[in-house]
Amino acid sequence: MPDNILDIFGDDAFSVASLTDVVNNRPYRPRQIARSGAFPDRGIDTTTVVIEEVNGKLTLLPTKPRGAPATQNTDGKRKLRSLVVPHIPYARTIMASEIRNLRAVGEVTVESAQRKVNAKLDEMIRDHELTLEHHRLGAAKGIIFDADGSTVIYNLFDEFGVTQQELDMALNTASTNVRGKCQTVLDMIDDALEDDPSEGVVVYCGRTFFSALIDHAKVRDTYLNWSKAADLNKDLRYRGFEFGGLNFVQYRGRGPVSVADGEAHVLPLSTDLDSTYFAPADMVDQPSDVGLPRYSSLHYLPHGKGVEIYTESNPLPLFRKPKALIKLTQTSS
């Protein structure tokens, strides 16, 4: 066995590039925002995202006599917004004693040490993925919170100078025209997106909101009159429920990564408007490359006591027209 157990980690398998490749190729543990296709990954080579907004408008052009001066085009006002990408570093330690006890003395190998490192990395990746889901859910609601659930990282409504739209679905009233409410939501989305198309709409619901929706008399009456009536007897919470042009799905979460019971949040799906930007790592080995979802490296502790596994992610999920992120309530009463 080597005089210093940590000599094992000098192997190429533990280089920054190798470990970064490992953390970005682990089996992804899907969560609801990621499964929806919203906020796709987009690497950038800077630590800030600059959004340019052009307040253009469609204008009806008047007819004029031939030879008369043409109507002059007025360029829309431009705004630039610069947003710093959040930096999320994370570290765990493997002590030398843990490596020694992997196998009998004299039989510790790079392979067994790699398994120990990979086990730690798997745990750390799960935490990074949960954090990313938390930020993406926040972006879908329009406000991205830090890990404590109360510190605001970005309020997209404030950043883009708009007010969040809200609609009371009145699901506790039996006579409510729920399909008409859904049409109102679609109209609100169209007005907010202007010329940008939507490729569908997902609505993330709290528990009581979703139950009130599928149990509403008008919704059930609609379904009973066509071939999918049997779907009402299935567990539709996480599969999604199509009604009135919207795809309602109960969000499965807890604590800060959740949707309040009597609420729902509308997210138009559009690859032109929603992205998760990943900035480069805060590492000398990775100074200016296009950002990856995660990075990893090893650092030796003083006196050969062990190694610290370091990971980081630098994500910023954004929806660039947050006025379309409509908050729905179950009832105003």
Side-chain angles (χ1 to χ4, degrees):
M1 187 173 67
D3 293 336
N4 185 341
I5 196 72
L6 300 184
D7 288 347
I8 295 170
F9 293 103
D11 190 272
D12 288 343
F14 301 103
S15 68
V16 171
S18 296
L19 288 175
T20 294
D21 186 59
V22 168
V23 297
N24 284 307
N25 285 287
R26 302 309 255 184
Y28 181 66
R29 299 166 182 86
R31 299 186 186 278
Q32 282 171 275
I33 299 289
R35 282 202 302 267
S36 73
F39 303 104
D41 297 354
R42 182 175 174 182
I44 57 176
D45 58 6
T46 63
T47 58
T48 60
V49 174
V50 177
I51 303 294
E52 182 182 49
E53 179 183 356
V54 181
N55 293 324
K57 60 180 181 180
L58 296 176
T59 303
L60 294 177
L61 301 176
T63 60
K64 290 194 172 187
R66 292 179 182 272
T71 301
Q72 295 298 307
N73 173 262
T74 302
D75 290 337
K77 295 181 180 179
R78 296 173 179 266
K79 292 182 180 178
L80 288 178
R81 293 181 173 85
S82 181
L83 300 132
V84 177
V85 178
H87 175 57
I88 306 173
Y90 192 28
R92 289 194 175 186
T93 301
I94 297 178
M95 303 306 293
S97 57
E98 296 180 67
I99 303 298
R100 283 197 183 91
N101 293 331
L102 282 174
R103 294 185 183 181
V105 174
E107 296 182 7
V108 177
T109 65
V110 169
E111 181 185 0
S112 59
Q114 183 72 63
R115 285 201 299 271
K116 186 69 175 179
V117 170
N118 286 351
K120 291 281 188 184
L121 283 173
D122 278 339
E123 296 173 8
M124 299 171 79
I125 290 168
R126 282 194 291 269
D127 292 340
H128 275 297
E129 287 174 348
L130 179 61
T131 302
L132 180 57
E133 177 75 2
H134 176 43
H135 287 193
R136 280 174 167 163
L137 179 61
K141 295 179 180 180
I143 303 177
I144 304 172
F145 288 98
D146 210 341
D148 59 10
S150 59
T151 302
V152 176
I153 297 176
Y154 283 115
N155 183 319
L156 300 185
F157 306 110
D158 291 345
E159 293 293 337
F160 286 86
V162 298
T163 301
Q164 183 175 28
Q165 300 188 93
E166 297 188 18
L167 179 66
D168 175 18
M169 295 292 284
L171 296 176
N172 289 7
T173 302
S175 60
T176 298
N177 180 359
V178 181
R179 181 176 289 277
K181 291 279 189 180
C182 293
Q183 184 62 56
T184 299
V185 171
L186 291 171
D187 290 341
M188 293 167 71
I189 292 171
D190 287 345
D191 291 343
L193 293 184
E194 299 174 308
D195 289 341
D196 289 299
S198 171
E199 299 168 3
V201 181
V202 61
V203 183
Y204 292 109
C205 308
R207 288 183 179 182
T208 59
F209 185 101
F210 189 82
S211 295
L213 173 72
I214 62 174
D215 288 337
H216 194 276
K218 297 288 186 180
V219 174
R220 298 190 74 84
D221 287 347
T222 299
Y223 258 66
L224 289 174
N225 290 325
W226 68 306
S227 60
K228 286 195 173 184
D231 283 356
L232 291 176
N233 294 319
K234 299 177 182 178
D235 185 355
L236 300 173
R237 294 174 300 166
Y238 311 125
R239 294 173 50 198
F241 178 73
E242 296 275 355
F243 188 79
L246 306 176
N247 182 27
F248 295 90
V249 60
Q250 181 175 315
Y251 189 83
R252 185 180 183 181
R254 63 182 63 183
V257 192
S258 63
V259 175
D261 276 352
E263 295 180 2
H265 292 269
V266 174
L267 176 64
L269 301 178
S270 171
T271 53
D272 292 332
L273 292 172
D274 60 320
S275 299
T276 302
Y277 296 95
F278 288 99
D282 187 23
M283 297 178 177
V284 173
D285 301 58
Q286 306 281 336
S288 59
D289 293 340
V290 172
L292 298 173
R294 289 174 295 273
Y295 295 86
S296 182
S297 68
L298 288 180
H299 173 71
Y300 293 95
L301 299 182
H303 309 296
K305 295 293 185 181
V307 293
E308 179 185 76
I309 303 176
Y310 173 84
T311 60
E312 71 168 74
S313 185
N314 304 281
L316 178 58
L318 283 181
F319 192 91
R320 293 185 287 283
K321 285 195 174 179
K323 192 173 181 180
L325 302 175
I326 303 163
K327 177 181 177 181
L328 306 181
T329 53
Q330 183 176 330
T331 179
S332 58
S333 60

